[in-house]
């Protein structure tokens, strides 16, 4: 085993040891429990009693000799044993002394419920600092504060104390680990998930995450043998780099990481100088991270646990992604809708083989077409057993790796229940993944209990069912190799701030990107001689201090056919923008036509530099058709970025146009990403816009460039 692997194994073991007392305690104390049944500590105690926790349960409150049928103790010191886990549900101020007492006693883990910390203004911040000081040097770990707790249904552990937990039965133990940054949402997710068959294995709410954070909890769950999928409800990432490590670890051990992230839209963004900076918000970067690292991101919170649970239930099925989906329906209308939803989710619905079609045609009436989607709805009333036989035949086809069964009605009447049971009978004998969707009714229907017991997911909508199948395919796709940092990277100037176009293009040229032939003129008079040297049609650009976008200030003149016209354009710029501090003029040979794209860099505060690609020129502002990738890019990931935008159609010969030099563009993207990765600590923003992609074999040409960086330390 390599040194890196040994270190990773040690980290995983340390994480497991640190959190074992949170999810697998031998005994629990409840400081703040009272005769009021709905207070946090009382609910935590009552939930553990109701779910059959086998270890010691010790309420602590000097007012009572007994609570809810178990002895109550005056202090922590009075307990018959030192508890592994202590739930503290006191006021914020009283919590401080309780945490200190637990630390001194040698408690392994505390769960701190109270609010009143950083979220409560200066007084709360000061109180949080005192709590942090108590935890300094502690062997004890803390979940919270402002925390709803954790649970392990297999052990009867349930500390959750909002009203949702009162109704949970935890009758089935799932193989999904859930970590949330929202306490109220955790209760709703768990209760709705349980009702729908999306059962849970471990769960925790991080609260203010002063000590134990989301990433550490998720890592512990990944390493737990009873967990096959980890689901995260994210409001914001405190440790982005550790989140990346988590995603890579999940991928390495073959356990899907499913996330829902709130805050996709932003009310405001800080002022930025580049197009890339304006378009690369935190959510766009997060989406790029998910795509590249194989993280499955659901768009609606309702789909978080259902997706994670389905993937866990399909672990022992044939991998989804080797073939296509069979849509088996009793509703022709549903089949039409699903065709669109499957296309949006990149789910193939393949044609069935000739042999399968022949077998189906032999049992189907003449007015039912053997195909995929396979709609047998018109024949079920004359032959109630037809759905069973048709599904069994179609599901054997090698072009099929999974099936979506669409019923007509909720399983409340004998006929609907019959057809559902027929489908479940066939699914029970197949090694292919299956999903059920009712056209009417809801997923919590009592009639779906058999499906839940079998581990067959019941989707909440046609769209959700297609997306679920699509997620399984994404997870089973091969990931691209990581990018390399490269060699021969030119250094940034020592100065900080905006680097002018002349210096920016010199850096691009040193990096290996082509730029137009050019001259720098100090005055408008010098522009004429520079244009004469270049010969032919030229472009004149005014260089003014602090100006990032020259065209917005009238500092760009194109298609100047004579030296005199070039000089006149420069003089006009000076006259119309007299308030600017002119540093000179850049005179360039006019470029030939090609496909205009934009390449840009933005330094994300959490994930580091990202590269933006999209249609260039003014199109980037107009259409915002861009894609982002983490730096450095591999050639494969650069090609993927191109394919995510409409620029791909133009580059690959749209409507008979000549194909552009896409390999040269990919080389430029990779090289620029290596430059960004090399200067991750200083490079703030960069726009290369437009980049002209010339016809095949002719390369690319960077027509404009802007770089902003921090000063050298």
């Amino acid at each position: 085993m390599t040194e890196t692997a040994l270190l990773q194994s040690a980290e995983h073991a340390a994480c497991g040891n640190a959190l074992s007392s949170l999810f697998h305690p031998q005994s629990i104390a409840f400081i703040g429990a009272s005769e009021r049944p709905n207070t946090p500590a009382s609910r935590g105690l009552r939930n553990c009693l109701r779910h059959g926790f086998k270890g010691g349960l010790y309420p602590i409150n000097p007012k009572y000799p007994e609570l809810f049928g178990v002895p109550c103790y005056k202090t922590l010191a009075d307990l018959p044993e030192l508890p592994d886990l202590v739930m503290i549900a006191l006021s914020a101020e009283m919590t401080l002394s309780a945490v200190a007492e637990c630390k001194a006693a040698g408690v392994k883990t505390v769960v701190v419920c109270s609010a009143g910390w950083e979220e409560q203004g200066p007084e709360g911040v000061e109180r949080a600092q005192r709590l942090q000081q108590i935890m300094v040097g502690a062997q004890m770990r803390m979940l919270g504060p402002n925390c709803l707790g954790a649970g392990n249904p297999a052990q009867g552990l349930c500390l959750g104390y909002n009203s949702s937990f009162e109704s949970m039965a935890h009758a089935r133990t799932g193989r999904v680990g859930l970590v949330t940054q929202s306490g109220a949402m955790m209760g709703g997710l768990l209760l709705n998930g349980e009702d729908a068959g999306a059962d849970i294995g471990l769960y925790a709410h991080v609260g203010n995450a002063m000590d134990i954070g989301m990433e550490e909890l998720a890592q512990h769950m990944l390493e737990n043998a009873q967990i096959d999928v980890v689901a995260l409800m994210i409001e914001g990432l405190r440790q982005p780099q550790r989140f990346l490590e988590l995603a890579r670890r999940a991928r390495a051990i073959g356990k899907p990481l499913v996330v829902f992230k709130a805050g996709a839209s932003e009310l405001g963004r800080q002022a930025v100088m580049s197009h890339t900076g304006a378009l690369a918000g935190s959510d766009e970067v997060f989406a790029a991270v998910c795509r590249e690292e194989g993280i499955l991101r659901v768009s609606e919170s309702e789909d978080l646990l259902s997706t994670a649970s389905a993937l866990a239930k399909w672990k022992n099925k044939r991998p989804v992604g080797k073939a296509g989906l069979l849509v088996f329906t009793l509703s022709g209308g549903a089949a039409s809708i699903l065709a669109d939803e499957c296309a949006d989710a990149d789910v193939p619905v393949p044609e069935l083989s000739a042999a399968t079609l022949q077998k189906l045609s032999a049992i189907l009436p003449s007015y039912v077409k053997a195909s995929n989607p396979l709609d047998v709805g018109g024949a079920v009333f004359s032959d109630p057993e037809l759905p069973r036989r048709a599904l069994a035949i179609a599901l054997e086809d090698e072009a099929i790796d999974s099936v979506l069964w669409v019923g007509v009605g909720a399983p409340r009447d004998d006929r609907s229940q019959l057809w559902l049971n027929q489908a479940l009978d066939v699914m029970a004998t197949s090694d292919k993944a299956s999903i059920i969707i009712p056209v009417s009714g809801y997923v919590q229907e009592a009639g779906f209990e058999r499906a839940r017991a079998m581990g067959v997911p019941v989707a909440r909508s046609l769209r959700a069912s297609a997306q679920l199948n699509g997620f399984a395919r994404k997870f089973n796709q091969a990931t691209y190799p990581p990018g390399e940092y490269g060699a021969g990277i030119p250094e940034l100037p020592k100065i900080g701030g905006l680097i002018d176009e002349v210096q920016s293009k010199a850096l691009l040229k040193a990096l290996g990107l082509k730029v137009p032939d050019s001259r720098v003129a100090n005055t408008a008079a010098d522009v004429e001689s520079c244009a004469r040297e270049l010969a032919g049609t030229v472009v004149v650009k005014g260089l003014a201090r602090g100006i990032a976008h020259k065209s917005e200030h009238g500092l760009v003149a194109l298609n100047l056919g004579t030296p005199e016209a070039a000089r006149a354009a420069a003089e006009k710029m000076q006259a119309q923008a007299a308030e600017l501090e002119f540093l000179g003029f850049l005179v360039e040979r006019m470029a030939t036509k090609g496909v205009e794209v934009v390449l840009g860099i933005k330094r994300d505060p959490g994930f580091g530099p990202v590269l933006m690609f999209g249609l260039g020129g003014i199109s980037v502002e107009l259409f915002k058709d861009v894609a982002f990738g983490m730096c450095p890019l591999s050639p494969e990931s650069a090609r993927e970025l191109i394919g995510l935008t409409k620029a791909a159609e133009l580059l690959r010969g749209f409507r008979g146009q000549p194909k552009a030099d896409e390999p040269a563009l990919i080389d430029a993207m990779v090289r620029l990403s290596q430059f960004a990765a090399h200067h991750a600590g200083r490079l703030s923003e960069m726009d290369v816009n437009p980049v002209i992609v010339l016809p095949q074999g002719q390369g690319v040409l960077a027509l404009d460039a802007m770089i902003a960086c921090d000063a050298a330390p």
Side-chain angles (χ1 to χ4, degrees), residues 30 39 65 91 119 121 190 274 343 377 407-408 483 499 584 688 708:
F30 300 84
T39 59
S91 68
E119 75 281 0
L190 289 173
S274 69
V408 175
I499 301 173
V688 187

Side-chain angles (χ1 to χ4, degrees), residues 500-501 504-505 508 550 687-689 703-707:
D500 67 35
E501 184 177 351
S504 296
K505 282 185 172 175
L508 292 181
K550 291 180 282 295
D687 261 5
V688 187
N689 181 35
L703 300 191
D704 199 358
M706 184 285 297
I707 295 176

Side-chain angles (χ1 to χ4, degrees), residues 128-160:
Q129 291 171 347
R130 283 190 280 152
L131 181 56
Q132 287 175 320
Q133 191 59 40
I134 292 171
M135 291 296 296
V136 170
Q139 296 298 309
M140 180 179 73
R141 303 302 305 277
M142 178 176 66
L143 184 65
N146 198 11
C147 173
L148 198 68
N152 178 353
Q155 194 174 342
L157 172 67
C158 177
L159 301 183

